[in-house]
Amino acid sequence: MVDLVPKKRRRVDSTTSPDPIARYPQKSILSNLLHRQAPQSICTSMHSVVVTTPPKPNGPGIHAFTGDHYTLDLPSKTKLVLNKTPIRLAQDYHDQHTITHLVWNQKGTTLASADETGKIALWNLGNSSDNWTMAYSVDLHQPTAAILWLNTDRWYVVPSADQAQDKFVREQVVGPRNPYGHLAFVAVTVHGEISVHYQRGGKIFSRFSTMLPNTGHMGLGRADIGCFGMNLAGSGQWYRISHASLIFNNDGSLLLAAQQANSKPNAIHLYKIQIRFPGRTSEGAIFCQSIAKLGLGAKALESSLGSFVNGSFGVSQMLLTRGDSGVQLAVAFASPDDHSGYFGKWTLQHKTTKIPGDAIASDTFSGTMMISEQLCLEYTLGFPIPDRFVTCVSNTSFGGIVLGLSDGSAHMEFRDTRYPGLARSYTNTEHAIGPGFWQAGPPHSYSDGEPDAIAGVTMSPNETHAICILYSGRLAVIRVTDTTERHDYAADLTMISKLLKRTLLNQSDDLDLISELVRLSQQPNVKENTAQNIISDAMMTYQVYCNQNRVDDVLISPQPDALSGIGGWNLPQRGQAYGLALGTCRRLPSAHIQYINLCKAIQLPVILECFLGSCRSDYSTVSKVLDDLKIVEDGQNLEFEADSLWSLVSLTTWTLDFVRWILRKWNTLFNCKRPKNSQYTDISARPSHAVILCHKESRLALCKILIMINEFVRFVRSSSYELKHLPESTPLLQKYATNILKNEPVSLQDMLAFLIALGDADQSNEPRNSWDILLQSRLPSNKVDKLRTITANFAEKCAQPAIYLERDADDTIDVIQKRRIPSTAKQVWRCVRCQQHAMASVNSTDPCSYALWYHSLGRRCVCGGLFTNVPFLRQNGQSSYT
């Protein structure tokens, strides 16, 4: 009898170091680059949403990156948030196919994606990085070689050194515009088809197309070959564009550089494309013309590339750029023999050729001279790259080149001092691959030491950072500003001030500029309040701009007297300005109090607008009640929409909590004693939360909110109304309105009288920036005595002991709904700019969800920032976010 004893499985240890990242060898990468254009794996919108697709052999996918990717190299007391969100709809649409193009439109609201099969789709970005909708899709049935969005807006730009420096320049729209809608783009396929896709309204799109000259089937025009003999003669194949680049020309036309890899002799052709949109009586048309050619043979490039042409070589990357010097063609060559590269630039220029008349006909044109003008590509500069080759190429807004190499290093062209910006502009030959370039990022490698090449590179909205995606799928964020230690940073700070003003005018993202401002403010030779002063100056410029009628005449630094006579702001303008201040103070280590004050102050005008939007009384009646600044029990009552009543409950609760909080801070400040070892000489020398009541806009908004709360409570208790949704909750609503004001330690009348008294002490005819007091968060030293007297007069009414019994709650408040986020929540939205939070979804059973303001505010954060979805964790009674 034999016992069957199970044998134990032995574990076989690997002799090599584990590396879970899939990869191709350098030889395969180079072979793919020479065969066809590398996929566009990364792009950044003007709102700093980075969209990537992992390079092969990584798995397919499209992801959106948001968060603090510009401040990774800065010391921070708070936990940085980086969010990677898959775009599920795009992944399902493109299935398992390779994504070849990712391109944002000019406004950064719509993303165009194209795959290797010819499918193109447009994706609209919603209020968060995981909220996408398809706007348009088309199947071209052949791979896409180039995609270019048509411009729709005119941006403000900082003037260059040779222009007037006192005003912003509003650039002209370059290229054709879609007369029927906002979205329009041009697509070029690898077989030479050019198609224009334009929006006619909503999701209705149209298109028209044509073919490039000398494209299509090979030998299609040969009369001696029939359809059955084309394959035998080798002419049944298509002309294939391997590399292409598409940009706008200065005259409004488009320029296309295309290389046909399977045509002989091999060359790069430059085409001029003009587009005419269809009209009432005419159809759409595309006019294509070949204007120049760059031969890629060894003899044609020997004078430019030198000894590099002795071996085998090919084009690995190609890019058209446009600057003040004209249109330039940047071409990167690579040799498969030794994996070395060469980079060169050619400029499109007019060339004049003189032909003597004797060469044509000696009898008729004897002694004359014929002049011929044509466009040609003239060699400008170039340099070899030993033992490395270019894997990706990008450009800045002024035509500067950014190169990614096979060893994982990034190199950037120096910025011309004539152009405004923060990128390096001085000459430094250390670690330079060629004249005019500097090494922006170090080489990257895998865990076993093999180089990790750069697959794609893109610039931040204000070109202070370069974001690279490596072939391993990792991201690298590179600061391209001058990070050397100096004694004077005045020029950089002045440029940051101009660029911040430009972001406010264009309503673009400013997180990369804020990162640079925070870095410079921490330098030893920079004054303490430099960042706040720069933000305040930007606010003043934007405030003047929002209240003037001349959009083409915006001063860079308006005088303080321009603030006199300025009216009110609308909510989007106020939110954009508050967003800049919030984003800066949130990332400054010493500005936590200013950040809290701005978070509170931004909510007051929003809450007032929500009350006004929920009121159905006449505008004249509402204005009369608010302008009187009185709470009266007898008089004309305001009426409210029934569907908005429950939403006003949360606004009332937030306001009453704020009143108790601000009174506690105010009375604590004016009744405290100065310690002997305190560094502050007076209460006006230290930041405090009490300054919110000294801010005129916030104080006036709070006065009107208190009046609206009184009218709202009176309407709920005394009026007859019927809830259309959830009518069974009417008794609970009336019970809340009956008890809401009974337990308040300070009555609405006393608080309103206190605020009016503070307003009387703040009467000043001097034009000043209203943002200073919030950004500095210090009481005016010349008014401390008046404020102390008013505090003493209202001590019995507004300094009740009950306000000191409460502690500052650690609960997280929803920035949109103004309610506490429950501890059972698993996912929340976090604003990328101000880092405040909101509930990720609205429950249909929530009675507050039927208010109109509830849905309109949820599109973006109150500061205008984009939401990102993050998990919600609670530890030790405090909320934390990862």
Side-chain angles (χ1 to χ4, degrees):
M1 187 176 185
V2 181
D3 295 333
L4 299 178
V5 180
K7 297 181 179 180
K8 295 182 179 180
R9 296 182 180 180
R10 292 189 303 172
R11 188 174 184 178
V12 180
D13 296 331
S14 176
T15 57
T16 59
S17 59
D19 193 350
I21 301 178
R23 55 182 168 177
Y24 286 142
Q26 295 274 318
K27 184 177 181 180
S28 299
I29 295 176
L30 178 56
S31 177
N32 291 331
L33 293 177
L34 297 178
H35 176 69
R36 60 181 178 182
Q37 184 171 294
Q40 189 174 353
S41 304
I42 187 171
C43 64
T44 305
S45 71
M46 64 178 297
H47 300 295
S48 291
V49 180
V50 182
V51 179
T52 65
T53 177
K56 293 295 184 181
N58 297 283
I62 304 178
H63 302 91
F65 284 86
T66 54
D68 299 319
H69 42 266
Y70 299 129
T71 57
L72 295 176
D73 58 340
L74 299 180
S76 176
K77 295 182 180 180
T78 59
K79 190 172 184 179
L80 299 179
V81 176
L82 292 176
N83 190 34
K84 177 182 178 181
T85 306
I87 307 178
R88 303 291 186 186
L89 292 178
Q91 293 179 1
D92 296 340
Y93 176 76
H94 293 291
D95 200 15
Q96 300 292 322
H97 301 295
T98 301
I99 306 298
T100 58
H101 291 82
L102 292 172
V103 187
W104 282 101
N105 69 335
Q106 189 182 16
K107 283 188 174 182
T109 57
T110 306
L111 174 71
S113 62
D115 60 28
E116 59 186 351
T117 64
K119 288 185 177 181
I120 300 178
L122 305 184
W123 310 97
N124 289 331
L125 176 61
N127 56 354
S128 72
S129 58
D130 59 348
N131 186 3
W132 300 81
T133 56
M134 178 185 288
Y136 171 67
S137 63
V138 63
D139 190 356
L140 302 180
H141 302 288
Q142 51 182 312
T144 306
I147 293 180
L148 180 66
W149 283 96
L150 299 185
N151 294 328
T152 56
D153 295 275
R154 298 173 58 188
W155 298 131
Y156 290 97
V157 296
V158 179
S160 57
D162 53 354
Q163 295 176 332
Q165 294 293 308
D166 59 337
K167 296 181 181 180
F168 284 100
V169 178
R170 200 179 187 198
E171 63 181 6
Q172 299 295 328
V173 177
V174 180
R177 299 182 67 180
N178 179 15
Y180 305 104
H182 295 285
L183 303 180
F185 65 94
V186 180
V188 181
T189 65
V190 296
H191 294 161
E193 180 184 0
I194 303 177
S195 57
V196 179
H197 307 254
Y198 61 99
Q199 185 183 30
R200 300 191 70 98
K203 292 188 177 181
I204 302 176
F205 281 74
S206 299
R207 68 167 180 166
F208 53 95
S209 61
T210 188
M211 295 294 295
L212 283 173
N214 301 323
T215 57
H217 277 292
M218 293 183 177
L220 190 60
R222 293 176 57 180
D224 57 334
I225 300 179
C227 60
F228 295 102
M230 294 179 68
N231 290 331
L232 296 177
S235 59
Q237 301 178 357
W238 288 80
Y239 285 102
R240 182 178 60 85
I241 297 177
S242 60
H243 300 79
S245 180
L246 188 63
I247 64 167
F248 292 106
N249 198 7
N250 294 323
D251 59 357
S253 61
L254 277 67
L255 293 179
L256 171 66
Q259 179 201 9
Q260 297 178 1
N262 57 351
S263 62
K264 300 297 181 181
N266 200 352
I268 297 177
H269 296 268
L270 190 62
Y271 299 95
K272 181 178 182 180
I273 303 174
Q274 294 178 319
I275 298 174
R276 185 189 68 192
F277 281 91
R280 294 183 178 179
T281 59
S282 59
E283 297 181 352
I286 304 175
F287 305 94
C288 304
Q289 179 186 4
S290 179
I291 59 175
K293 182 177 68 172
L294 176 63
L296 299 180
K299 294 183 178 180
L301 296 176
E302 185 177 2
S303 59
S304 304
L305 275 63
S307 60
F308 184 79
V309 301
N310 294 336
S312 60
F313 66 94
V315 175
S316 62
Q317 291 289 340
M318 182 174 60
L319 181 68
L320 280 174
T321 61
R322 179 171 57 91
D324 290 346
S325 58
V327 176
Q328 291 186 334
L329 175 64
V331 184
F333 300 92
S335 173
D337 299 332
D338 55 358
H339 292 185
S340 61
Y342 191 97
F343 177 78
K345 295 173 67 174
W346 284 260
T347 304
L348 183 64
Q349 297 179 351
H350 287 272
K351 183 178 182 181
T352 302
T353 305
K354 296 182 178 180
I355 304 175
D358 297 338
I360 302 177
S362 58
D363 297 336
T364 307
F365 300 97
S366 178
T368 61
M369 188 70 66
M370 306 294 293
I371 299 178
S372 174
E373 293 187 359
Q374 60 180 357
L375 292 172
C376 64
L377 293 170
E378 292 290 338
Y379 179 75
T380 303
L381 63 89
F383 48 86
I385 308 176
D387 302 326
R388 295 174 294 176
F389 57 90
V390 177
T391 55
C392 66
V393 59
S394 183
N395 66 297
T396 63
S397 58
F398 296 101
I401 299 297
V402 184
L403 299 177
L405 301 186
S406 57
D407 64 345
S409 62
H411 301 260
M412 187 174 178
E413 197 171 8
F414 282 110
R415 177 179 57 87
D416 194 333
T417 55
R418 297 177 302 168
Y419 302 140
L422 293 171
R424 291 195 182 184
S425 59
Y426 64 89
T427 303
N428 183 8
T429 57
E430 184 180 0
H431 303 296
I433 58 174
F437 281 80
W438 63 283
Q439 181 172 322
H444 294 81
S445 60
Y446 293 93
S447 58
D448 57 357
E450 290 294 322
D452 190 3
I454 296 181
V457 61
T458 182
M459 300 298 296
S460 65
N462 297 285
E463 298 182 351
T464 61
H465 294 73
I467 307 175
C468 307
I469 183 171
L470 308 176
Y471 270 89
S472 60
R474 298 177 296 178
L475 282 183
V477 183
I478 304 170
R479 189 180 297 271
V480 298
T481 58
D482 186 6
T483 57
T484 57
E485 295 185 0
R486 291 165 289 162
H487 296 285
D488 187 13
Y489 299 93
D492 291 344
L493 293 173
T494 302
M495 181 56 61
I496 289 178
S497 177
K498 294 180 180 180
L499 295 178
L500 285 175
K501 297 174 183 178
R502 185 190 66 178
T503 59
L504 289 175
L505 298 179
N506 295 331
Q507 296 186 5
S508 59
D509 188 71
D510 47 27
L511 291 181
D512 53 345
L513 289 176
I514 291 175
S515 171
E516 186 65 13
L517 178 60
V518 171
R519 186 188 70 85
L520 292 180
S521 64
Q522 297 175 354
Q523 300 300 318
N525 298 322
V526 178
K527 296 182 179 179
E528 180 181 359
N529 296 326
T530 299
Q532 287 88 338
N533 294 333
I534 290 178
I535 298 301
S536 178
D537 183 49
M539 299 294 180
M540 184 181 69
T541 302
Y542 186 60
Q543 192 173 10
V544 174
Y545 163 77
C546 293
N547 289 271
Q548 70 178 18
N549 298 324
R550 303 181 306 274
V551 295
D552 294 328
D553 188 12
V554 182
L555 295 176
I556 294 180
S557 298
Q559 299 299 323
D561 55 1
L563 294 175
S564 58
I566 284 184
W569 298 50
N570 57 41
L571 285 182
Q573 293 171 347
R574 184 184 287 110
Q576 189 74 15
Y578 269 107
L580 173 60
L582 280 169
T584 305
C585 294
R586 184 65 177 86
R587 291 159 179 82
L588 283 173
S590 60
H592 179 69
I593 294 180
Q594 290 88 331
Y595 170 74
I596 298 298
N597 293 343
L598 288 168
C599 289
K600 302 288 186 179
I602 193 176
Q603 293 289 1
L604 295 176
V606 174
I607 292 176
L608 176 60
E609 194 69 23
C610 293
F611 270 103
L612 295 177
S614 303
C615 185
R616 64 183 183 185
S617 300
D618 296 337
Y619 178 77
S620 58
T621 304
V622 177
S623 300
K624 184 179 182 304
V625 172
L626 295 180
D627 293 340
D628 292 341
L629 292 181
K630 295 180 181 179
I631 295 180
V632 293
E633 296 298 335
D634 299 332
Q636 188 175 6
N637 298 337
L638 298 182
E639 297 181 354
F640 295 86
E641 293 287 344
D643 290 338
S644 301
L645 294 180
W646 270 114
S647 66
L648 299 182
V649 170
S650 59
L651 302 184
T652 302
T653 304
W654 187 96
T655 305
L656 296 179
D657 292 342
F658 170 76
V659 168
R660 295 192 299 271
W661 175 81
I662 194 62
L663 286 179
R664 183 166 64 253
K665 298 297 182 182
W666 181 277
N667 290 284
T668 302
L669 178 66
F670 280 91
N671 294 287
C672 66
K673 292 184 179 181
R674 177 180 175 270
K676 295 182 179 180
N677 58 350
S678 175
Q679 60 178 339
Y680 303 109
T681 59
D682 191 68
I683 61 174
S684 61
R686 65 173 183 177
S688 64
H689 297 296
V691 297
I692 300 179
L693 297 183
C694 296
H695 183 230
K696 183 178 180 180
E697 293 182 359
S698 300
R699 184 177 61 250
L700 183 59
L702 181 57
C703 291
K704 295 182 179 180
I705 292 173
L706 296 179
I707 297 175
M708 295 299 294
I709 289 177
N710 181 75
E711 295 293 331
F712 159 68
V713 172
R714 185 165 56 178
F715 174 79
V716 174
R717 289 188 303 183
S718 60
S719 300
S720 59
Y721 53 87
E722 181 180 356
L723 298 179
K724 297 181 181 179
H725 304 280
L726 302 176
E728 63 275 8
S729 63
T730 303
L732 182 62
L733 177 63
Q734 293 177 347
K735 182 178 180 180
Y736 170 84
T738 304
N739 301 324
I740 181 62
L741 299 179
K742 290 183 177 180
N743 299 325
E744 288 300 316
V746 180
S747 64
L748 298 183
Q749 291 83 352
D750 294 340
M751 185 63 190
L752 183 60
F754 177 62
L755 294 176
I756 294 176
L758 293 178
D760 296 337
D762 194 25
Q763 297 295 334
S764 176
N765 297 324
E766 299 180 0
R768 61 185 178 89
N769 190 349
S770 62
W771 304 94
D772 286 338
I773 193 168
L774 291 178
L775 292 173
Q776 304 297 335
S777 290
R778 292 180 174 89
L779 294 175
S781 58
N782 58 344
K783 298 180 181 179
V784 173
D785 295 336
K786 292 183 180 180
L787 298 177
R788 196 184 298 275
T789 302
I790 295 174
T791 304
N793 295 335
F794 284 86
E796 295 182 0
K797 298 180 180 180
C798 298
Q800 296 294 326
I803 66 174
Y804 300 101
L805 299 179
E806 296 184 8
R807 294 184 177 181
D808 294 341
D810 294 328
D811 296 328
T812 304
I813 304 299
D814 191 318
V815 69
I816 301 297
Q817 304 176 18
K818 314 300 183 297
R819 295 188 298 183
R820 292 177 175 86
I821 298 179
S823 58
T824 57
K826 296 182 178 180
Q827 294 288 330
V828 294
W829 279 342
R830 178 165 181 163
C831 177
V832 176
R833 178 181 294 172
C834 69
Q835 298 186 2
Q836 298 188 79
H837 306 88
M839 290 296 296
S841 60
V842 178
N843 192 349
S844 59
T845 60
D846 185 0
C848 301
S849 61
Y850 301 105
L852 295 179
W853 69 264
Y854 210 74
H855 298 279
S856 60
L857 279 181
R859 297 174 183 173
R860 287 293 177 94
C861 181
V862 292
C863 72
L866 183 71
F867 284 116
T868 181
N869 204 339
V870 297
F872 180 73
L873 301 177
R874 272 182 116 42
Q875 296 178 357
N876 299 328
Q878 295 184 355
S879 58
S880 61
Y881 304 87
T882 58

